Amino acid sequence: MKVLVTGGAGFIGSQLVDLLLAEGHTPIVLDNFSNGREENVQSGVKIYRKSLLSDKIERIFKKEQPDVVMHLAAQVSVAKSLESPAEDAAVNVLGTVKLLEYCTKYGVKKFIFSSSSAVYGYTSEVIHEDSPTSPISFYGTSKLVSETYIKLFNRLNDLPYTILRYANVYGPRQRSDGEGGVISIFIEQLLRNEAPVIFGDGNQTRDFVFVDDVARANLLAITNADNQIINIGTSTQTSVNLLCTLLSNQLHSSLTPDYKPKRQGDILNSHLSNAKALDNLKWAPNFNLISGLEKTVDFFKINNNFI
């Protein structure tokens, strides 16, 4: 099956491309390389270096005729979305709508969308797919608006979809610069013998899900969970303070965290139920936090010249 992966040179997308290859599919990468890296993509995979907003995207659909589109490319920085909401909306909303139009025009069989737990906003409860959505950042808003367009394209044009709302994804290849995930940032700070920086009091919780499990959820969505929204998380929550302690123990560091003021747009708690993923996507995480952190730490040691 031919699969167009937007953001296919990025952290999650490139590992999804690896999995698609291993399963006998033909992935095609669309990436503007603002965050992606060419070394993430296996040789022989066709790459188109284009922005989602480029008028030349339609040519790719016309030439390649993909069976499935997996849309991972996005403006992912919460802080940047608050600083530049128009840019965030242009990439995340308009970019998605343009893809949906091309999918409809060129007979794509399914659209698989990478959404985010940021659509939910503040909550102290376990989050289910029917929990209220009230995002507190423009990033979360752009993901929620994109979901609405996807559902309407399905209703009006019969374009099948699966929307995957990710918890906090971490693992090898995640960048620690810019809006990198807290785990990759902590690891690099500790490896450089710098105090890990925690924004807020560190009691905020996150549901950390390993990137291999997220890639597998996308693969399963090709043949499961049509026209459904699915949380992709571990059904557990971990405080940022505990996360810092776990990583410090793995790296044999005694550094004390450096606490900074809470950042605008950061949610307090995230704890996603994955019951629907198990029932409808036939997915459950294979990695717990300890095993996932071990693989991530090993990657950063090897690839950042710390050993």
Side-chain angles (χ1 to χ4, degrees):
M1 187 172 290
K2 189 177 283 190
V3 183
L4 179 65
V5 182
T6 74
F11 159 50
I12 303 173
S14 64
Q15 297 183 74
L16 173 56
V17 168
D18 290 347
L19 183 57
L20 288 167
L21 285 168
E23 294 294 323
H25 298 289
T26 302
I28 302 158
V29 169
L30 170 62
D31 203 302
N32 69 355
F33 288 90
S34 59
N35 291 300
R37 294 171 173 167
E38 286 196 29
E39 58 264 32
N40 287 345
V41 183
Q42 294 187 39
S43 62
V45 174
K46 188 175 290 187
I47 299 174
Y48 290 93
R49 187 186 291 263
K50 301 292 181 189
S51 162
L52 286 176
L53 301 177
S54 170
D55 291 334
K56 297 179 180 179
I57 297 294
E58 184 173 3
R59 299 180 189 176
I60 301 172
F61 278 82
K62 187 175 182 179
K63 179 181 179 181
E64 298 294 345
Q65 297 288 321
D67 300 295
V68 174
V69 170
M70 293 180 166
H71 182 29
L72 292 89
Q75 190 299 111
V76 298
S77 168
V78 170
K80 188 172 182 179
S81 79
L82 294 170
E83 295 167 2
S84 305
E87 180 181 349
D88 180 81
V91 175
N92 290 355
V93 179
L94 183 56
T96 300
V97 173
K98 287 170 72 73
L99 288 175
L100 290 166
E101 288 182 331
Y102 300 143
C103 286
T104 300
K105 184 174 181 179
Y106 292 98
V108 169
K109 296 178 178 66
K110 190 164 188 183
F111 188 84
I112 299 169
F113 180 62
S114 293
S115 190
S116 169
S117 59
V119 303
Y120 294 111
Y122 287 127
T123 178
S124 59
E125 307 294 332
V126 177
I127 299 171
H128 298 269
E129 288 82 356
D130 57 358
S131 295
T133 51
S134 183
I136 60 171
S137 68
F138 294 117
Y139 166 71
T141 300
S142 69
K143 286 293 187 181
L144 188 58
V145 170
S146 295
E147 290 185 10
T148 302
Y149 271 97
I150 292 166
K151 289 185 285 187
L152 191 55
F153 264 83
N154 168 256
R155 193 178 311 149
L156 298 179
N157 299 296
D158 198 27
L159 174 62
Y161 69 86
T162 300
I163 293 169
L164 304 175
R165 289 176 176 167
Y166 302 156
N168 287 67
V169 188
Y170 72 98
R173 300 182 191 167
Q174 188 166 30
R175 295 179 63 152
S176 60
D177 58 342
E179 191 74 10
V182 63
I183 288 176
S184 59
I185 293 172
F186 280 176
I187 291 172
E188 289 217 344
Q189 288 171 335
L190 290 167
L191 286 171
R192 297 184 191 281
N193 204 34
E194 299 171 358
V197 175
I198 294 177
F199 294 95
D201 61 10
N203 292 320
Q204 64 269 33
T205 65
R206 298 291 182 265
D207 186 340
F208 295 106
V209 60
F210 191 60
V211 66
D212 287 17
D213 287 325
V214 173
R216 187 166 49 84
N218 279 269
L219 179 72
L220 290 168
I222 294 175
T223 53
N224 294 283
D226 282 1
N227 306 329
Q228 296 184 48
I229 296 174
I230 306 286
N231 285 339
I232 301 299
T234 64
S235 283
T236 60
Q237 56 183 333
T238 304
S239 74
V240 174
N241 283 328
L242 177 56
L243 171 68
C244 188
T245 298
L246 293 173
L247 285 171
S248 296
N249 291 341
Q250 283 202 17
L251 291 164
H252 309 291
S253 173
S254 59
L255 290 168
T256 302
D258 180 13
Y259 290 91
K260 302 287 187 182
K262 179 182 178 295
R263 295 179 299 188
Q264 185 180 13
D266 280 355
I267 62 174
L268 295 178
N269 298 292
S270 180
H271 182 186
L272 272 62
S273 168
N274 60 19
K276 189 175 179 181
L278 178 61
D279 290 342
N280 295 273
L281 196 60
K282 313 306 178 188
W283 177 93
N286 288 334
F287 290 85
N288 61 30
L289 185 57
I290 298 300
S291 61
L293 289 179
E294 288 174 351
K295 289 195 68 171
T296 307
V297 167
D298 288 345
F299 173 86
F300 273 83
K301 283 181 176 180
I302 293 169
N303 288 275
N304 290 275
N305 299 316
F306 290 108
I307 60 173

